Every structure is written in C-alpha cells, then in structure tokens.
C-alpha cells in the first residue's frame, strides 16, 4: 500500500542518516556511541545460518533498534557490537528482518564484522 511504502522510505532515510552519523563518529577505540538504526523491513526474519530461531516480538517499520530493557539486542558502542555473541547478532537480525549480509560459511570473525558494516555503511 502507499502508506506502507511511505513508511519504508521514511525508515530507510532515517537509517541512512544514522549510518552517516556513525561514520563521522567512528573511532578506532570503539568507544563512541552508535546512533541506533531503524527497522526498515516489515515482520521478523529467519535466524542467521546455523542459528536457532529466537522469535523476537515483531515491531513496526521505523522502530528504533532496541537497546534497553528486556529486549536489549542492539549494541550501544562499537566495542559492544564487537563483543556480541552470534546468538545476539542472530536475534537482532531476526528482529530487523535483515541478515546483515551474513551467509553460511562465513567465519565467526566475518559474522561479527558484518553488523558493524551494517551500522556504518549498509
């Protein structure tokens, strides 16, 4: 529908602005706070390859990635992102309905690096 398409476009623009802020603020020590992205795809997605589905609650397109409370799945700094477990990355990927470019056969190091690319460049 037109309203759903508009919501998706608005979410993508907000996500791109957040990525640009993250690029500007990115420091190699990983201490800078990440500007949280927004959900750009409806529904929840499948788990990452080799992971079990955790079935997070669905959220509307345009919802900011959750960082607090019981569903604190999004990282708040680059250091936090680099320390995320693969299960937590998969949970965030399911919630966002975005695989971050992770494919079967990616090493653990590559699976951990792709969410950072998502926060900076996707």
């Amino acid at each position: 529908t037109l309203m759903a398409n508009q919501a998706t476009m608005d979410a993508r623009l907000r996500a791109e602005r957040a990525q640009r802020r993250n690029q500007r603020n990115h420091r190699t020590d990983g201490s800078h706070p990440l500007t949280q992205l927004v959900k750009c795809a409806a529904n929840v997605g499948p788990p990452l390859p080799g992971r079990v589905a955790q079935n997070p609650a669905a959220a509307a397109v345009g919802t900011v990635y959750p960082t607090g409370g019981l569903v604190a799945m999004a990282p708040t700094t680059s250091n936090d992102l680099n320390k995320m477990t693969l299960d937590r990355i998969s949970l965030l990927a399911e919630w966002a309905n975005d695989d971050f470019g992770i494919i079967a056969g990616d090493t653990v190091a590559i699976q951990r690096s792709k969410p950072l690319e998502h926060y900076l460049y996707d």
Side-chain angles (χ1 to χ4, degrees):
T1 68
L2 182 59
M3 299 259 314
N5 289 341
Q6 183 64 43
T8 299
M9 291 299 296
D10 288 345
R12 287 186 178 150
L13 289 172
R14 288 174 54 204
E16 287 174 12
R17 284 193 299 270
Q19 287 166 330
R20 282 194 298 278
R21 278 192 296 275
N22 286 335
Q23 289 171 20
R24 273 194 312 270
N25 296 330
H26 184 65
R27 297 186 191 111
T28 55
D29 67 0
S31 64
H32 79 285
L34 291 168
T35 300
Q36 290 305 312
L37 304 181
V38 295
K39 184 174 173 71
C40 293
N43 304 315
V44 295
L48 294 177
R51 300 281 145 203
V52 175
Q54 299 174 61
N55 303 313
V61 168
T63 302
V64 175
Y65 283 26
T67 59
L70 296 174
V71 291
M73 61 184 84
T76 56
T77 66
S78 295
N79 282 336
D80 184 28
L81 193 141
N82 291 331
K83 294 176 190 173
M84 287 176 71
T85 65
L86 297 182
D87 283 338
R88 187 170 162 208
I89 293 170
S90 184
L91 176 63
L92 182 60
E94 284 181 62
W95 181 86
N97 196 3
D98 188 327
D99 62 15
F100 309 137
I102 296 171
I103 59 172
D106 279 350
T107 65
V108 170
I110 290 174
Q111 288 182 53
R112 286 206 167 109
S113 71
K114 287 185 176 180
L116 179 60
E117 293 173 18
H118 175 72
Y119 267 83
L120 297 177
Y121 308 110
D122 198 31

